[in-house]
Amino acid sequence: MEENQTAKPKLKHDTKFQIVKQSDGDEKSTMARKVYMDYNATTPLEPDVIQAVTEALQEAWGNPSSSYAAGQKAKKLIDTARLNVAMMVGGRPEDIIFTSGGTEANNLVFHSAVNHFQEIQKLGQNCLKEDSNGLADTLPHLISSGVEHDSVRLPLEHLMKQRVAEATFIPVSKVSGQAEVYDVMSAVRPNTCLVSIMMANNETGVLMPISELSRRIKILNQKRVASGLPWILIHTDAAQALGKVRVDVQELGVDYLTIVGHKAAEMVSQHWEQYEAHMRKVRDYLEEQLEAAFGKENIHFNSHFPGSERLPNTCNVSILGPELKGRAVLARCRHLLASVGAACHSDLGDRPSPVLLSSGIPCAVAQNALRLSVGRHTTKQDVDLIVEDLKQAVSQLETPEHLVGN
């Protein structure tokens, strides 16, 4: 899921000016344009979306179950939204459940899977056996990856702590950055009831093999049913992928799909291919310019894994050097608005991202990481500006303190 469920107003790319006092009393105009490259955290709202929301708040504020005009208009908007979301992901309107956000949606999936397992146990509809402690096989078992968003990891850890369920977190491959299908299948137990693997990682952008995983689990399910074992459900959190690559529940083969309301569904359905092509072009240009500015030997692309596909908008990069920790670099940037990783890990300070470490990125490299995620309005001119911005920030950090100001 995207990390910040609160959508923010659209950032404009017009130029602003600041007046700076010089030592001789003169005043100097300096450009202070901000370039937003944190789209994996949250997506600024489009003007059309702001207008639609405003109109709904003004005209469709009524109870949608009522017969008066404001209520009926609300019902019509909800029905239209449900249809648009279903069309966007290849589903049916009656299968769309609206929640307050991705975190609630993920929790709903886990608790539904656990409750379903418990109901089957009560009815005695499976042939699970107790272990020596009388517990292991009677608890539902869930499988996830070691690089999931906190809205997946924390609820699963809570279920384990409360002895409501068991969970296995599969480490991602240090070669591909993916949760490999073989590793997931190897973790399946007789009491496994749900597999939850994100569609795209929010820090590296790596796309997970969801379709292949679904195919393998469905084959296994036929054997499990014949043996009286519980059916394994499949869930993917696709919030990071939506609007950047094709998201279709039929192609993915999943039982549950989490998406978030940052995207305007109708716009994504109509334009996702254009969005993807534009973001890929700008992202690739960004990486080319970073390589040209700092040299291949001085940077490391943490989101490059041979043979693995990734989101078209995500560049996770480290500028190498002992003084160039990600937060320190960003603190000295005048134009760039970005992050060092997931917002849910903002309390780590200068400690490297657990996702990057789990993906095989060395500690000294991971602590310098910058997550630069472009959007459908990011331009090559924006890229040129932030590359120069990064160059001056790096120069400041590499200049000995006694020389600063001379």
Side-chain angles (χ1 to χ4, degrees):
M1 61 167 286
E2 290 197 9
E3 298 142 4
N4 186 348
Q5 296 299 323
T6 303
K8 298 177 176 60
K10 178 178 172 58
L11 293 168
K12 298 180 179 179
H13 290 288
D14 53 325
T15 300
K16 298 179 181 178
F17 293 91
Q18 290 181 334
I19 304 300
V20 181
K21 286 281 186 181
Q22 301 298 308
S23 57
D24 58 359
D26 292 336
E27 291 184 342
K28 178 183 177 182
S29 251
T30 59
M31 295 178 65
R33 181 160 66 93
K34 300 299 182 183
V35 176
Y36 184 72
M37 285 196 179
D38 205 17
Y39 281 83
N40 282 11
T42 191
T43 305
L45 288 178
E46 292 286 345
D48 289 348
V49 177
I50 294 175
Q51 181 179 347
V53 172
T54 301
E55 290 177 358
L57 292 173
Q58 292 173 337
E59 303 172 16
W61 45 266
N63 183 341
S65 299
S66 64
S67 59
Y68 47 81
Q72 286 300 295
K73 187 156 189 176
K75 185 178 187 306
K76 184 177 180 180
L77 286 176
I78 292 171
D79 290 344
T80 300
R82 181 172 277 112
L83 177 61
N84 286 338
V85 170
M87 292 175 60
M88 176 177 61
V89 298
R92 301 178 303 177
E94 59 267 31
D95 293 332
I96 304 301
I97 301 173
F98 292 123
T99 67
S100 64
T103 297
E104 182 183 348
N106 288 338
N107 274 268
L108 179 62
V109 170
F110 303 143
H111 286 282
S112 295
V114 167
N115 290 338
H116 179 63
F117 180 92
Q118 292 171 339
E119 287 299 317
I120 291 177
Q121 283 286 91
K122 289 178 182 178
L123 295 172
Q125 294 180 355
N126 61 49
C127 53
L128 293 175
K129 298 178 180 179
E130 296 181 354
D131 67 359
S132 58
N133 297 317
L135 288 174
D137 283 351
T138 62
L139 289 179
H141 175 241
L142 301 90
I143 300 173
S144 192
S145 83
V147 295
E148 296 292 320
H149 188 271
D150 276 2
S151 64
V152 168
R153 180 180 62 84
L154 293 178
L156 292 181
E157 289 180 349
H158 179 74
L159 290 173
M160 293 172 66
K161 183 178 180 180
Q162 297 298 313
R163 292 294 297 161
V164 174
E166 297 176 322
T168 299
F169 294 93
I170 302 298
V172 296
S173 164
K174 291 177 171 54
V175 176
S176 68
Q178 296 179 326
E180 299 287 4
V181 173
Y182 173 81
D183 292 330
V184 175
M185 299 303 295
S186 297
V188 170
R189 303 176 186 174
N191 56 329
T192 300
C193 64
L194 179 73
V195 171
S196 176
I197 305 290
M198 61 182 8
M199 184 174 174
N201 185 263
N202 53 321
E203 292 193 39
T204 64
V206 169
L207 294 170
M208 303 294 178
I210 303 301
S211 297
E212 174 61 17
L213 177 61
S214 297
R215 187 185 70 81
R216 293 282 300 277
I217 288 179
K218 287 181 178 178
I219 293 174
L220 176 63
N221 274 336
Q222 301 302 321
K223 300 177 181 178
R224 288 171 65 90
V225 170
S227 303
L229 296 177
W231 188 273
I232 300 174
L233 298 168
I234 311 161
H235 166 247
T236 188
D237 184 339
Q240 278 298 338
L242 193 70
K244 301 165 187 172
V245 295
R246 180 176 176 82
V247 177
D248 186 292
V249 291
Q250 304 303 323
E251 293 179 3
L252 293 170
V254 296
D255 300 293
Y256 298 106
L257 179 87
T258 295
I259 57 175
V260 295
H262 288 59
K263 320 297 179 184
E266 191 173 359
M267 295 171 64
V268 170
S269 296
Q270 294 175 357
H271 306 296
W272 74 267
E273 289 176 307
Q274 296 170 253
Y275 295 159
E276 179 182 11
H278 172 76
M279 289 185 286
R280 188 181 304 278
K281 184 177 180 180
V282 174
R283 191 274 313 277
D284 290 348
Y285 179 73
L286 168 63
E287 295 189 345
E288 290 169 6
Q289 295 306 303
L290 288 170
E291 210 169 68
F294 297 102
K296 289 185 178 182
E297 68 281 4
N298 295 319
I299 61 173
H300 184 274
F301 291 111
N302 306 314
S303 47
H304 288 193
F305 292 91
S308 294
E309 295 184 27
R310 57 181 169 135
L311 293 175
N313 79 317
T314 305
C315 167
N316 195 306
V317 62
S318 294
I319 306 172
L320 305 181
E323 306 299 327
L324 305 181
K325 292 182 176 62
R327 292 182 187 279
V329 171
L330 287 178
R332 285 161 179 78
C333 285
R334 302 165 183 166
H335 307 283
L336 175 62
L337 302 177
S339 65
V340 297
C344 57
H345 295 152
S346 59
D347 60 344
L348 291 177
D350 282 332
R351 285 178 291 166
S353 159
V355 168
L356 295 185
L357 295 179
S358 297
S359 302
I361 305 300
C363 182
V365 176
Q367 65 186 2
N368 287 20
L370 302 171
R371 185 185 65 175
L372 308 177
S373 48
V374 305
R376 50 185 175 262
H377 296 300
T378 312
T379 66
K380 288 186 176 181
Q381 289 74 24
D382 292 331
V383 170
D384 292 337
L385 180 60
I386 71 103
V387 169
E388 289 301 317
D389 200 19
L390 287 169
K391 285 170 65 177
Q392 68 82 24
V394 168
S395 178
Q396 284 187 43
L397 288 167
E398 290 183 332
T399 301
E401 289 187 12
H402 69 278
L403 295 179
V404 174
N406 291 346

